[in-house]
């Protein structure tokens, strides 16, 4: 089974009924074109919110400096929040730096710039 060679190939878009579709007007985006601003990654949004909550919560706990009432050998919730506030701020700053590096990497990848 041998196919004929044609000098020029002409493709036409058709709808689901087989009728030819008119070409798009100049400047109009075709129906399947992706948006110019992509939807944000929900995991990155959640990390930004977690980062803000860790930094704000840790700073708030340190600035409020509650007076602790001794309840024997048990630690109260307020004491635990106050004790782990510096680690929360440090963790939030670490997540912030990681997110900034991630955004820089994706921006660089979109621009098509290579390190090599």
């Amino acid at each position: 089974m041998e196919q004929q060679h044609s000098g020029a190939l002409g493709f036409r878009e058709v709808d689901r009924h087989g009728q030819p579709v008119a070409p798009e007007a100049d400047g109009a985006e075709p129906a399947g074109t992706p948006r110019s601003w992509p939807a944000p990654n929900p995991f990155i949004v959640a990390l930004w919110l977690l980062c803000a909550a860790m930094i704000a919560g840790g700073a708030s706990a340190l600035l409020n400096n509650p007076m602790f009432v001794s309840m024997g050998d048990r630690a109260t919730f307020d004491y635990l929040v106050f004790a782990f506030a510096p680690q929360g701020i440090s963790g939030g700053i670490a997540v912030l730096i990681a997110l900034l590096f991630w955004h820089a990497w994706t921006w660089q990848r979109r621009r098509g710039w290579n390190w090599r």
Side-chain angles (χ1 to χ4, degrees):
M1 192 156 50
E2 194 173 313
Q3 295 181 350
Q4 296 178 357
H5 296 285
S6 68
L9 296 176
F11 293 101
R12 296 187 63 173
E13 189 175 350
V14 294
D15 63 5
R16 63 181 172 175
H17 302 295
Q19 302 298 323
V21 176
E24 303 290 333
D26 289 339
E29 291 185 7
T33 308
R35 298 181 297 185
S36 62
W37 189 262
N41 185 341
F43 298 107
I44 299 299
V45 172
L47 277 175
W48 275 110
L49 294 174
L50 177 69
C51 170
M54 288 173 72
I55 293 173
S60 158
L62 285 177
L63 293 175
N64 285 337
N65 195 8
M67 297 300 291
F68 300 110
V69 177
S70 176
M71 295 186 67
D73 52 342
R74 287 185 170 187
T76 64
F77 180 74
D78 291 338
Y79 176 75
L80 289 175
V81 169
F82 182 75
F84 287 109
Q87 290 86 353
I89 293 174
S90 299
I93 290 172
V95 171
L96 174 72
I97 291 170
L99 283 169
L100 290 176
F101 272 108
W102 182 83
H103 281 297
W105 179 66
T106 57
W107 178 81
Q108 176 184 4
R109 196 174 50 168
R110 272 191 310 245
R111 300 283 183 216
W113 189 77
N114 290 326
W115 285 94
R116 299 172 222 191

